[in-house]
Amino acid sequence: CGAIAGAAWLVQGCSAGDSSQSESEGALGSSSAALTADASAQAAARVTAVVPAAQVNVQNGRVSRVYGATLASAASVDAAADAARDALAPALGAVAGDLKGQGGVPVMVDPVTQQPGFYVHRYQQARGGVPVHGAELRTLVRNGATKEVVWAASTLVDLGSFVAATSARAPSADAAKANAAVKPSSGPTGLLVAPQVLDNFTQPELVIYAGTAAVPSAPRMAIRYVGSSGKSPARYQFLADAVTGDILESQSLAETVAVTGDIRGNATPN
């Protein structure tokens, strides 16, 4: 189990006068929690119907991890990974034909034999050739005499009968809307840093956007692009509605690190 784990991933308060409102909100919260728990149980059951001995992790009604049992096996690594994709996709609310393989990456290579202990296979979810933002399946295949899939991670989404507008053209990035969506970020000292004006934008690409794992939404056509500033290392990824250009999600791609050390130099008085 240790080897598999190592290889897998190189309210507001209210006054006494608001008691009735608080009770109502509490009841709604309990109802929502019950619905989420029920959806999570159903999601896990769909997977264990395919692999009865599997352990399943579920977040917000979506399966995120499957492990603890052989999920599929075959004579070759690629065939084993594809077999797991084909078996798990319907249980994860996806269509196997929408999951395009990106090839296997060797991990945990034995220093003596130079043979990898495992291969990680990645499948990008797409519909009609249009990628689904942030949606993929990863499988971990043990490289033994028989190739066995022992772990899977999923961010797949249920697209239902959604039809991608494959003939649509991606509109240009809307600089004003993108800059309005950027919020101050926390710098290395923990203080908020005002964002620089973004003035460079990559060519938008068409994607399908179905929200996030925390806040899922109905699938829609969207564009994805990156904005940066010529005056700072700031870089942001944007997801925007493909018709209106309204920002659906923004994420800073910059990483800040606090470094401890000395700076030395010579100074000359004026």
Side-chain angles (χ1 to χ4, degrees), residues 133 173-175 177-183 198 200-202 204-205 207 209 222-228 235-241 245-253:
H133 173 70
D174 190 315
K177 290 182 177 180
N179 277 288
V182 175
K183 302 294 188 294
L198 306 178
N200 298 311
F201 296 91
T202 60
E205 62 172 323
V207 296
Y209 180 76
I223 55 174
R224 179 172 60 197
Y225 58 90
V226 173
S228 59
R235 295 178 70 247
Y236 289 83
Q237 176 179 263
F238 297 95
L239 277 297
D241 186 274
D246 291 344
I247 304 300
L248 305 172
E249 179 186 317
S250 63
Q251 177 185 7
S252 174
L253 301 179

Side-chain angles (χ1 to χ4, degrees), residues 66 70 106-107 122 135 148 166 181 210 220 227 253 266:
V66 184
T70 298
V107 294
R122 173 176 173 263
E148 299 177 328
T166 55
R220 65 168 81 182
L253 301 179
N266 297 321

Side-chain angles (χ1 to χ4, degrees), residues 121-211:
H121 276 248
R122 173 176 173 263
Y123 297 87
Q124 167 70 54
Q125 186 177 14
R127 176 66 58 86
V130 180
V132 183
H133 173 70
E136 65 178 22
L137 173 69
R138 295 193 184 203
T139 60
L140 185 67
V141 187
R142 193 198 307 273
N143 186 31
T146 299
K147 316 308 179 184
E148 299 177 328
V149 178
V150 294
W151 178 92
S154 171
T155 54
L156 302 177
V157 299
D158 188 345
L159 296 177
S161 59
F162 179 81
V163 178
T166 55
S167 61
R169 292 185 58 188
S172 300
D174 190 315
K177 290 182 177 180
N179 277 288
V182 175
K183 302 294 188 294
S185 59
S186 178
T189 62
L191 299 176
L192 290 179
V193 178
Q196 292 286 339
V197 174
L198 306 178
D199 48 17
N200 298 311
F201 296 91
T202 60
Q203 179 64 35
E205 62 172 323
L206 277 177
V207 296
I208 298 170
Y209 180 76

